[in-house]
Amino acid sequence: MEAVEDVRNYIDAHTPLLLERLAQWVSIPSVAGVAERKHHLTRSAKWLAGELRDTGFQITQIWEGAEGPTVFR
């Protein structure tokens, strides 16, 4: 249970930053299936992949699909 407590403590200590980062991500108007917004899907995928790398996920890939990109870790 110590790991769970560590995670809770981290979240409590970093809530403002985490909320700011989440707000940045969800502000990207990335709606799958809307052709004119496909570039936003790519932007959103790149944002998420970068965040994952910054938090320690060394292998993070963006796979291009027919409907848009997918972030794979």
Side-chain angles (χ1 to χ4, degrees), residues 3 18 20 23-24 35 40 51 54 59 64-65 71:
L18 295 170
E20 178 185 327
Q24 288 177 359
H40 291 302
E51 287 293 306
D54 289 350
I59 299 172
E64 290 297 330
V71 177

Side-chain angles (χ1 to χ4, degrees), residues 19-65:
L19 290 174
E20 178 185 327
R21 300 302 293 156
L22 179 60
Q24 288 177 359
W25 186 32
V26 299
S27 72
I28 301 170
S30 52
V31 178
V34 179
E36 58 271 8
R37 296 201 177 206
K38 189 170 182 179
H39 66 284
H40 291 302
L41 287 173
T42 300
R43 191 171 132 221
S44 177
K46 287 180 180 180
W47 187 96
L48 178 58
E51 287 293 306
L52 290 171
R53 280 188 218 102
D54 289 350
T55 57
F57 291 92
Q58 295 176 359
I59 299 172
T60 305
Q61 300 174 350
I62 298 175
W63 295 352
E64 290 297 330

